[in-house]
Each structure stands twice: as structure tokens, then as C-alpha cells.
Amino acid sequence: MKKAIIALVVLIVAAVASVGTLIAVKNSKEKEKQQASKVLAENDIFRFDPYSPTKIVFSKGDETYTAEKKDKVWSLDNGEFELDQNYCQLICTYLSDLTAETNYGEITDEKLDMYGLRDTDTIEVTEPSGTHTIHIGNESPMQDYYYVTADGRDKVFAIEYMKGSVLKLDRLLLKNKMLLPYDLYNIKEVIISKEGKTTLDVSYDPDTQQWSLPDEYSLLQTDPTAITAKLNGLVRLESQEMLDEKLEDLEKYGLDKPYAEMTVKGLDGTQRDLKFCFNDDYPDYCIVLVDGEQVELYYKADLDIIDYTAYNFIVQNYIAARSYNTKEFTLNYNGNNDEFKVDLDNNECTVNGKKISIESTENYLAFDNFFNSVSVLKLTGTDAEAKPELKDPELTAEFTFTEGDPVKIDLVKGEGTIYYVFRDGKYTGGYIDETSLKGRNSLGEFYLKFKNIAGF
């Protein structure tokens, strides 16, 4: 019994000691929390709704810019240039819950001199509850902080370097960095030229809501999806870096002899003029001169449109006929002049008066490959300035349909390995390569295979 009582006393003492330890630890943690809360409160600089500000004033010395928001759009009060909407919102967001990493105690003249807080960059943000003003001084020696003060606070604070760097006044940061001032359906026309020669011209008709190429390509089918996709990317482009603001010496970047030029016209009657060049000092970028003054950098891949021609915006498989509604066709090619009648309902094709069954898979595939090699031309380029004559065509094919007007296709040899495509006696503006006529998977190969199967 005595031993049991002694053991119980030991347990009670141990328990009391444990409780006492827990209480001590808890009290210590509470003190730490209180201390942390106190420090946090001391370093808490601003708190407001980031979307509530209606005015921002950026200033340093005699340089001042006043941005005002109306209908959710920021603009300069003097209209000198368009503002970067994202940057203005970024400033509001950064300052709306700005907390310093640490502070250096109360403001003194010595600290103002030490931390560069005499001649500061200043930002004033006005929202319904009042105006919040921050003064940005020097960066810390290790470039991990910027020293700041705030109106209404009596301490010198240190904020994150990244936040401080975007708060420093920079005119180029304020400027709109969008390549174009239009959205996709505010564009009327895009014209690209090289060495004074127009290489691409696409227009938008707001009444029909259709994109089109110039009339000389009217015999080719425009691919509106390709145009929309490319221009949709173009209107979203933002510069990676802003360089000279008012360039006077075009030779500085090689813009005196631009690689390409672009004019973008808006439905509102305005236009933006752009010059493009490449420079070994910026190997990954395309240098762009905007409206003759502002120099900006963009990734090369984002501006590949400057190498586009009408060819990139047409349906490149030029379809002259489809077998399902073709009644008959003739082909004059490579010394042969053959006549074909098509009767798919009865799985027959008559060649020069001889009926051929195309019911078997082998015969049908041979016929289908041959017919498509004649009726579907793979365009490899466009050239509206070429003036080929319809003389001594390499190939002539004429199609008669169950409904609609007949179609005649002629291929005329051009320079090198190209053949100009004519439709009903008119040059289409497009051409094919001789690989469509000769070699593997060409008209010549499919023609021969069908002839062997047909036995003629």
C-alpha cells in the first residue's frame, strides 16, 4: 500500500510538472505571436481594395505623370501617350497590401540621407478612403531591398527589391507596350511590304465579317481561320523591352534599311506604321520601330507574319472537282489525250469508250488516287505579279459535272520547277511544284497505276 501511494505521488508530481511545462511553452508561444503581430503591424504600410483607385500620380523631381481611371481605363490627364493598363493595375495591386520586410526605426535626417530618401521617386494612389503616398529611395547594397517611407508613417521601411524596382519612375514602363492599338475586329487592313514591294495585304469587311485577299487572288479560296488565328496573336503582342523612345538615328539599329514594313489600318480611320529589322546585338529578337519613334523588342517567332504572303492565308489544296458529282472529264498530259466518264453509282469508269469496273477496293483506290491527283492541286506558292501566258500548257483537264458549269484547268511551265495554275483560261495567282506531276505519289505515278489496272 505504501509503495502504491509513493508511486501515485510520483505520477502526480510528474503530471504537475508536465502541465507546468505545457503552460510555460504556451505562454512563450503567445508572447512570440504577440511580438510577431506587433512587428507585422509596424511593417504594415498600406491596406486598400486594389481595384478601387481612380488616380495615380508618378513623380520624381520636375517629372510628373498623372493617371486617371474612367470606365475602367487608365489614361494620362494630358493625353501625351497611351498608358500600360496592366502596369497601372500592377501598381495598385502591389501597394494595396504592401508590407515591409523590416524597418529601421523612426525617420531621422541621418537616415533620409543614408537611404536616399531625400530626392525620391514618389507614387500617390487615390481611392475612396483617401490618398496613399510612398517615397522610394535607394536599393540596399545586396540588392535585396528598396528603402521607402510612407506619408503618415514615422519609420523607414525596407520592401522587397522586385516591388521597389517597379515602383521607381520609368516613362517607358508607363507607356502602352501593345504592338497594336486595335483588337481583332477593329482592324480594317494589314499591309506588309519588303523593299517597297507589297508581300501581303488582307482586309476585313465589317458588314460581312469576312477577311479577304486582293482581287488578284479571287480565284483562290481564302482561309479565314488562318487569318483570324494569326492576327489574333498579333493584336495580343506586348513588347519584351522598350528601347529608344524618340529615335532620330535610324542607322543605330539598322532601321534605315528595314527587313520589312507593316501598315495596320483601323476601322476608325487611324493607322499604325511599323518597321522591322534584326540586329546581332539582340539575336533572339526582332527590333520594331513604332510610328517612327518608339523602338521595341519582340521575340522573332511572334512576328513571323512579316514573312507571310497570300499563300499562308489560302486553302492550299486547290480543288477543281470532286468525283461524287463529276460526270466526265478529259486529260491531256504527257502526250496522252484521254476521256473518262464516271458512274460511281454503278462503280464504273469508262476510259476512251472502255468500261472499267472500280468495284474492287484495289481498282477503286487506283481510280480515286488518280482522279484526286488531277482534280486537287497542292499549291506551293502564290505570285500575283507574275504574268504567265496560257500557251503550250503542260497539262489540261476539263471537268463536266452533274450540276453546274464545267471547269477547265491548265498548267503552264514557269521558271525552275513551278507550274502556273489557270482556271477557265485565267491565271489563279497560284502555282504548283513539278513534284505534283512527276515522281512518287504524283499524277504521273497514279496515272500509270490506273492505266495498268484499267488495261489501256
Side-chain angles (χ1 to χ4, degrees):
M1 176 65 73
K2 189 175 182 179
K3 289 182 179 180
I5 293 173
I6 293 172
L8 183 58
V9 170
V10 170
L11 288 173
I12 292 173
V13 170
V16 170
S18 178
V19 171
T21 300
L22 288 173
I23 292 173
V25 170
K26 184 178 181 182
N27 288 338
S28 176
K29 288 185 176 180
E30 288 295 332
K31 288 180 180 179
E32 290 178 5
K33 286 182 180 179
Q34 290 175 3
Q35 185 63 29
S37 297
K38 182 179 179 182
V39 171
L40 188 63
E42 286 182 348
N43 294 337
D44 194 35
I45 302 177
F46 298 134
R47 293 286 171 185
F48 56 86
D49 178 357
Y51 299 100
S52 63
T54 55
K55 181 179 179 181
I56 311 173
V57 179
F58 304 85
S59 62
K60 181 176 178 61
D62 295 332
E63 188 177 8
T64 300
Y65 302 94
T66 300
E68 297 178 338
K69 184 168 69 173
K70 184 178 181 181
D71 297 329
K72 298 182 180 180
V73 176
W74 289 99
S75 58
L76 279 181
D77 61 343
N78 60 9
E80 182 183 358
F81 54 80
E82 291 185 16
L83 288 171
D84 186 327
Q85 301 297 309
N86 291 333
Y87 179 69
C88 290
Q89 185 55 54
L90 181 64
I91 292 297
C92 295
T93 301
Y94 271 4
L95 295 182
S96 68
D97 63 349
L98 185 62
T99 301
E101 297 296 305
T102 186
N103 72 75
Y104 298 95
E106 293 185 1
I107 298 172
T108 64
D109 288 341
E110 182 182 3
K111 290 176 183 177
L112 293 178
D113 293 331
M114 182 185 302
Y115 300 124
L117 291 164
R118 292 285 189 187
D119 181 21
T120 64
D121 296 72
T122 298
I123 296 179
E124 303 171 41
V125 177
T126 300
E127 46 94 17
S129 66
T131 297
H132 312 278
T133 304
I134 186 169
H135 307 275
I136 305 95
N138 293 341
E139 62 188 55
S140 65
M142 299 299 293
Q143 292 190 329
D144 47 359
Y145 300 127
Y146 264 96
Y147 305 114
V148 303
T149 59
D151 285 5
R153 305 301 300 275
D154 62 354
K155 288 182 171 55
V156 173
F157 299 101
I159 64 172
E160 292 178 26
Y161 178 85
M162 183 59 71
K163 289 187 177 181
S165 66
V166 299
L167 297 177
K168 299 285 283 186
L169 177 58
D170 186 333
R171 180 183 169 94
L172 294 182
L173 282 178
L174 287 170
K175 295 187 74 173
N176 185 357
K177 298 166 190 62
M178 300 298 293
L179 178 68
L180 300 177
Y182 312 108
D183 63 30
L184 182 61
Y185 297 105
N186 286 332
I187 293 176
K188 178 182 179 182
E189 188 175 15
V190 177
I191 305 169
I192 298 175
S193 62
K194 292 181 179 179
E195 298 180 348
K197 176 183 175 182
T198 298
T199 54
L200 179 67
D201 187 346
V202 291
S203 301
Y204 179 71
D205 185 338
D207 295 328
T208 62
Q209 298 185 352
Q210 294 293 322
W211 292 95
S212 63
L213 294 165
D215 290 342
E216 52 263 39
Y217 295 106
S218 60
L219 292 178
L220 302 177
Q221 184 181 351
T222 302
D223 186 349
T225 301
I227 297 176
T228 300
K230 179 52 64 176
L231 296 186
N232 196 39
L234 194 68
V235 299
R236 296 170 184 270
L237 275 186
E238 292 188 43
S239 67
Q240 299 300 311
E241 186 176 345
M242 308 281 273
L243 301 178
D244 287 77
E245 186 177 14
K246 293 185 178 180
L247 184 67
E248 295 181 356
D249 181 11
L250 294 179
E251 293 185 15
K252 180 177 180 179
Y253 298 100
L255 286 161
D256 55 320
K257 298 178 180 179
Y259 175 79
E261 298 180 60
M262 179 190 294
T263 297
V264 183
K265 299 180 181 180
L267 292 173
D268 60 0
T270 62
Q271 73 178 48
R272 173 150 289 182
D273 297 307
L274 306 166
K275 293 181 185 292
F276 306 86
C277 74
F278 302 103
N279 189 308
D280 290 340
D281 293 336
Y282 305 95
D284 298 324
Y285 298 95
C286 179
I287 300 171
V288 183
L289 179 64
V290 181
D291 290 334
E293 292 189 336
Q294 179 70 56
V295 182
E296 303 174 1
L297 292 183
Y298 294 83
Y299 288 123
K300 289 180 178 178
D302 291 337
L303 287 172
D304 59 352
I305 190 174
I306 63 177
D307 290 318
Y308 275 33
T309 64
Y311 175 73
N312 297 94
F313 291 141
I314 62 170
V315 177
Q316 294 168 7
N317 283 334
Y318 187 81
I319 301 173
R322 292 293 195 187
S323 60
Y324 63 81
N325 71 337
T326 297
K327 184 167 60 176
E328 57 186 61
F329 66 100
T330 62
L331 176 63
N332 188 337
Y333 172 64
N334 201 24
N336 298 297
N337 193 355
D338 300 309
E339 297 181 1
F340 304 83
K341 292 185 179 180
V342 183
D343 184 0
L344 293 183
D345 290 337
N346 294 305
N347 295 314
E348 289 182 346
C349 176
T350 301
V351 184
N352 298 330
K354 178 183 177 182
K355 287 187 178 181
I356 307 297
S357 173
I358 54 175
E359 187 171 6
S360 70
T361 300
E362 181 183 11
N363 285 10
Y364 177 78
L365 286 177
F367 166 76
D368 193 53
N369 287 334
F370 162 60
F371 183 86
N372 287 333
S373 68
V374 179
S375 62
V376 182
L377 303 175
K378 173 61 178 175
L379 298 176
T380 54
T382 55
D383 186 357
E385 293 191 357
K387 305 297 181 184
E389 292 184 50
L390 182 49
K391 182 180 179 181
D392 301 325
E394 182 78 9
L395 175 150
T396 297
E398 294 186 66
F399 301 89
T400 303
F401 307 110
T402 55
E403 292 182 2
D405 297 330
V407 168
K408 181 182 179 182
I409 296 294
D410 291 289
L411 299 180
V412 175
K413 186 73 170 67
E415 294 184 4
T417 63
I418 70 172
Y419 291 83
Y420 295 110
V421 180
F422 286 77
R423 181 187 179 109
D424 297 332
K426 296 180 180 179
Y427 172 49
T428 63
Y431 56 83
I432 66 170
D433 186 76
E434 70 177 2
T435 54
S436 294
L437 302 178
K438 304 171 184 178
R440 187 170 177 79
N441 294 326
S442 68
L443 168 62
E445 180 182 22
F446 292 130
Y447 194 9
L448 181 61
K449 286 182 178 180
F450 182 62
K451 287 175 68 174
N452 289 335
I453 287 176
F456 70 96

